[in-house]
Amino acid sequence: MIVAIIIVLFILVVISMYNSLVRKRNQIENAFSTIDVMLKRRFDLIPNLVATVQQYAKHEADTFAAITEMRNKTYASLNDSEKVDFDKMFSKVRTQFFAVAENYPELKASENFLQLQRSLNETEEQLAAARRTYNASVTDYNNAVQTFPTNLLAGMFGFTRKAVLTIPEAERATPDVKNLFNS
């Protein structure tokens, strides 16, 4: 009788640990999906920003060409890795984009541009929050995959460590907006 109780308790503990790992993995997928939604929103804002600013700054072709090139890709056709690359490239181009706007006072005063800029800034804030949530979920999952006793179960069922989202060192530096136009 005692052996049966111990076996049942052991099975319940194993089931609980397995379900915990599955929930944590699903939480990661949900968090990445939130990032995906924010990236898509940002992606859709680009044509409106480009159209508004192009009216004022036609000679800043390089910045707009980079933005347009990114926009010409179909977002749905990008895989997760390409979406992360797009995110990194957009962050760099966005800085240049707003630097262009700084040179055109009438553009900065345009209600359309201001509304688009607010929308993009809000999206960026939501994207940053989604990234933090994703990284927290990945950390929680990785802790479960790597700590005893769930690591034994994780290894048996193929739960592997996930990578957190990181920012390249070059993007951590404060941009020198003044020199964006000197290069």
Side-chain angles (χ1 to χ4, degrees), residues 89-154:
M89 183 172 46
F90 183 82
S91 295
K92 179 181 175 191
V93 171
R94 189 189 76 162
T95 302
Q96 295 170 334
F97 185 78
F98 287 121
V100 168
E102 290 295 320
N103 284 342
Y104 297 92
E106 64 277 2
L107 173 61
K108 290 188 325 189
S110 163
E111 186 57 39
N112 288 341
F113 179 76
L114 293 174
Q115 177 59 38
L116 289 167
Q117 188 176 19
R118 281 191 294 272
S119 294
L120 187 57
N121 287 337
E122 178 185 321
T123 300
E124 291 300 316
E125 289 171 13
Q126 291 173 352
L127 188 53
R131 286 182 185 129
R132 286 189 300 273
T133 300
Y134 176 82
N135 283 344
S137 296
V138 168
T139 299
D140 187 38
Y141 171 82
N142 286 343
N143 288 340
V145 166
Q146 294 177 308
T147 57
F148 183 81
T150 53
N151 65 335
L152 300 173
L153 198 61

Side-chain angles (χ1 to χ4, degrees), residues 3-19 153 157:
V3 172
I5 292 174
I6 291 173
I7 290 172
V8 169
L9 287 175
F10 178 75
I11 290 171
L12 290 175
V13 167
V14 168
I15 290 171
S16 175
M17 288 189 306
Y18 178 82
N19 288 342
L153 198 61
F157 289 103

Side-chain angles (χ1 to χ4, degrees), residues 24-40 75 78-87 126-127 129-138 162-166:
K24 291 174 189 305
R25 182 180 60 199
N26 290 342
Q27 187 176 3
I28 290 171
E29 291 170 6
N30 182 40
F32 188 82
S33 180
T34 302
I35 292 171
D36 198 33
V37 168
M38 291 298 108
L39 290 174
K40 174 72 169 119
Y75 186 79
L78 301 176
N79 64 36
D80 289 349
S81 175
E82 290 171 327
K83 288 175 183 177
V84 171
D85 290 342
F86 169 80
D87 178 37
Q126 291 173 352
L127 188 53
R131 286 182 185 129
R132 286 189 300 273
T133 300
Y134 176 82
N135 283 344
S137 296
V138 168
K162 305 277 186 187
V164 294
L165 296 176
T166 58

